[in-house]
Amino acid sequence: MIIKKGDNVVVLKGKDKGKKGKVERVFPDAGKALVAGINVVTKHQKPKQGVKQVGRLTKSMPMNAANLALFCDKCGKHVRVGYKILANGDKTRVCKKCGDII
Ligand SMILES: [Zn+2]
């Protein structure tokens, strides 16, 4: 998976298309990512023992990482990602458009 925790991403498909958010968690096995404020579902929590918050709760659900793209601040839009090997041997992701490290 290209997407990592802490990345700024844009939603390419679905009800949140065009929205931006920050990746809070990735699920590499499932190919999913949890993005703050994206793919929000409303849950109606009925009062029951041990539950403090009742009523309408909103929660972000993990979504298919294939429908997300990395956002490049320099380009101001979502971009394709390339890889670059740094002098110290580390592999890093770069914006294919401007060459900046993402
Ligand atoms: Zn760029």
Side-chain angles (χ1 to χ4, degrees), residues 9-69:
V9 292
V10 183
V11 181
L12 299 178
K13 277 182 187 171
K15 64 176 174 131
D16 291 319
K17 188 177 171 181
K19 282 193 191 171
K20 278 202 288 176
K22 199 178 176 100
V23 177
E24 293 196 326
R25 213 176 147 187
V26 288
F27 305 88
D29 292 342
K32 289 187 170 187
L34 181 67
V35 187
I38 304 291
N39 202 22
V40 173
V41 293
T42 308
K43 210 177 134 187
H44 296 271
Q45 180 67 58
K46 286 184 187 135
K48 66 178 177 187
Q49 219 177 359
V51 177
K52 287 194 184 86
Q53 223 184 336
V54 295
R56 284 178 55 167
L57 302 175
T58 55
K59 194 183 169 199
S60 288
M61 296 296 286
M63 66 172 291
N64 197 335
N67 294 339
L68 298 170

Side-chain angles (χ1 to χ4, degrees), residues 82-94 99-102:
Y83 286 97
K84 195 175 158 184
I85 310 292
L86 297 175
N88 65 6
D90 279 353
K91 202 166 146 187
T92 186
R93 297 172 311 179
V94 293
D100 256 25
I101 291 169
I102 299 182

